[in-house]
Amino acid sequence: MTFLDDSLLDEIRSRAPGYDRDNTFFTEDLDALRAAGYLAAHVPTDLGGAGLSLLELVHEQSRLAGAAPATALAVNMHQVWCGVGRVLHDRGDDGLDVLLREAAAGELFAFGISERGNDLVLFGSATEARPDGEGGYRFHGTKIFTSLAPAWTRLGVHGLDASDPDDPRIVYGFVTREGTETKDDWDTLGMRATQSRTTVLDGAHAPADRVVRRLPPGPNPDPFVFGIFACFELLLSSVYLGIAQRALDLAVETVRSRTSMKTGDVYAHDPDIRWRLATAAMDLETALTQLHATAADVDAQVDHGPRWFAKLAGTKVRATETAKDVVEAAIRVSGGGSYFTRNELSRLYRDVLAGLFHPSDDESAHATVATALLGPLP
């Protein structure tokens, strides 16, 4: 059972080269996905959505990424916020049910967390969160990599409230476009249709009822933080493994039709090519199995305790590194034609490299897993 029709995915795939070439936002794709109810796919049925589990959404995001990686990656940011709401809802916390209802009603949520040079990510912020005296906050700072920049209607942000030096707090809230500026600065190697432009917050206001957490800086076991980390890492992984699957499928088609002038036989019978593609397929299967098992554990509310963050970071790094290797293998066996921009593999190769830049990166993931295994450094 799938949510997105193959015909819709074919339609979306047909537009991907043009968005990439022209460096434009995926407006038509977004309209089609909204019409299909996909923006509320992860929202519980009692709140107006389709009720897909995280595991089911991971499958759908991989399929969407195989059609249009940038579309899938950008939509991912909306789905992550829905996932955070769903994690809390399933655990008896209705604090983000308003977000889930708004997603079902058509609001589009984006991620305003990333900041230049902030390797603390969720655990610190260079953005100021200034109390408004009524329980709300005004945010002042600059966020980077704001996917869905041309279209979002709600932006989830964080900032530091240092008004009490003895009790600083990381504040999470949701703002509208008032008090924000979107820069037209997205011209990148790949993932161009995401239009993940820089967002300047100049007094963007989250009223009291849109402030969802005030947490001490640093690592925190709060379910809200867990929800962000889990949904971001796993849905992100699904996108990059979807790219890898598409590249592998294209490579199989190519070597079945390419003929060697030297042997007169198709490249699919070349033992070196068979070995390379078999290795890629085995690596991809392993990464997919890890992703699906971890997503199922989130759905089942399995208690991995403090090991959760190591499992999630490890899953993301394994997914993005494997995806990169699989796409490279696909290009190697497909020959020089894949070097031309008109070849889909060329675009997939550029797109898959973006996985290197998302948190958790390779270094921080290894540090997280090492700490889980060996304890913190002295």
Side-chain angles (χ1 to χ4, degrees):
M1 178 75 179
T2 57
F3 189 89
L4 296 172
D5 292 338
D6 288 343
S7 59
L8 174 57
L9 293 178
D10 288 341
E11 173 192 330
I12 288 172
R13 178 177 289 114
S14 72
R15 288 191 285 258
Y19 292 144
D20 177 76
R21 180 188 62 247
D22 300 334
N23 193 28
T24 52
F25 186 64
F26 61 100
T27 301
E28 296 86 354
D29 288 0
L30 183 60
D31 290 343
L33 291 168
R34 179 180 277 115
Y38 193 57
L39 299 185
H42 196 36
V43 175
T45 54
D46 60 314
L47 296 179
L52 267 63
S53 68
L54 181 59
L55 177 58
E56 290 170 325
L57 186 61
V58 159
H59 280 286
E60 293 301 314
Q61 280 295 94
S62 288
R63 295 176 64 236
L64 180 57
T71 294
L73 182 62
V75 169
N76 225 41
M77 303 309 160
H78 171 88
Q79 300 291 20
V80 167
W81 279 126
C82 291
V84 177
R86 179 69 179 270
V87 162
L88 296 179
H89 180 86
D90 288 350
R91 288 156 179 77
D93 183 338
D94 63 1
L96 282 186
D97 280 7
V98 62
L99 178 155
L100 295 170
R101 290 191 180 92
E102 288 190 346
E107 301 292 350
L108 185 65
F109 288 82
F111 234 73
I113 301 295
S114 295
E115 298 167 338
R116 187 171 287 107
N118 179 11
D119 55 359
L120 294 171
V121 194
L122 295 176
F123 304 143
S125 178
T127 296
E128 292 183 69
R130 301 176 187 172
D132 67 1
E134 299 178 348
Y137 284 85
R138 294 193 177 275
F139 293 87
H140 296 262
T142 300
K143 303 293 185 177
I144 59 174
F145 295 125
T146 314
S147 300
L148 299 169
W152 62 262
T153 60
R154 301 285 188 272
L155 184 66
V157 300
H158 77 334
L160 179 65
D161 174 10
S163 57
D164 181 351
D166 295 325
D167 187 25
R169 293 280 162 164
I170 299 293
V171 179
Y172 292 87
F174 290 88
V175 303
T176 62
R177 284 194 172 267
E178 185 177 357
T180 72
E181 175 193 354
T182 299
K183 293 185 177 296
D184 187 7
D185 59 355
W186 189 249
D187 188 7
T188 50
L189 176 69
M191 291 295 187
R192 286 158 65 79
T194 65
Q195 290 301 301
S196 304
R197 305 172 186 175
T198 298
T199 302
V200 178
L201 306 175
D202 186 16
H205 187 227
D209 62 351
R210 294 309 172 98
V211 174
V212 295
R213 284 296 189 275
R214 296 179 67 257
L215 301 174
N220 197 295
D222 189 283
F224 175 79
V225 173
F226 169 76
I228 293 177
F229 202 78
C231 296
F232 187 89
E233 300 289 72
L234 299 182
L235 289 170
L236 190 79
S237 298
S238 72
V239 168
Y240 288 96
L241 292 179
I243 296 172
Q245 184 64 65
R246 175 62 177 170
L248 184 62
D249 292 344
L250 289 172
V252 168
E253 292 177 11
T254 299
V255 301
R256 282 176 171 169
S257 60
R258 283 184 74 213
T259 302
S260 167
M261 184 176 291
K262 180 168 65 176
T263 67
D265 202 357
V266 292
Y267 279 103
H269 296 163
D270 182 302
D272 293 331
I273 286 177
R274 295 174 70 87
W275 173 84
R276 193 179 292 278
L277 286 181
T279 299
M282 289 187 289
D283 290 345
L284 177 57
E285 183 68 24
T286 300
L288 283 168
T289 299
Q290 181 180 7
L291 169 61
H292 296 160
T294 309
D297 280 359
V298 175
D299 285 329
Q301 301 183 40
V302 174
D303 184 10
H304 291 297
R307 293 287 302 256
W308 254 123
F309 289 96
K311 288 179 69 67
L312 293 164
T315 299
K316 182 269 174 183
V317 167
R318 178 63 55 226
T320 52
E321 293 292 333
T322 297
K324 178 174 62 67
D325 292 344
V326 169
V327 176
E328 183 175 323
I331 284 178
R332 285 179 180 272
V333 304
S334 297
S338 61
Y339 196 60
F340 286 86
T341 56
R342 63 176 177 269
N343 190 299
E344 186 177 350
L345 278 172
S346 170
R347 175 166 48 82
L348 296 180
Y349 186 57
R350 289 184 290 107
D351 285 346
V352 80
L353 295 177
L356 301 175
F357 300 102
H358 300 290
S360 298
D361 62 23
D362 198 10
E363 294 81 8
S364 66
H366 277 79
T368 299
V369 174
T371 298
L373 289 171
L374 304 170
L377 287 168

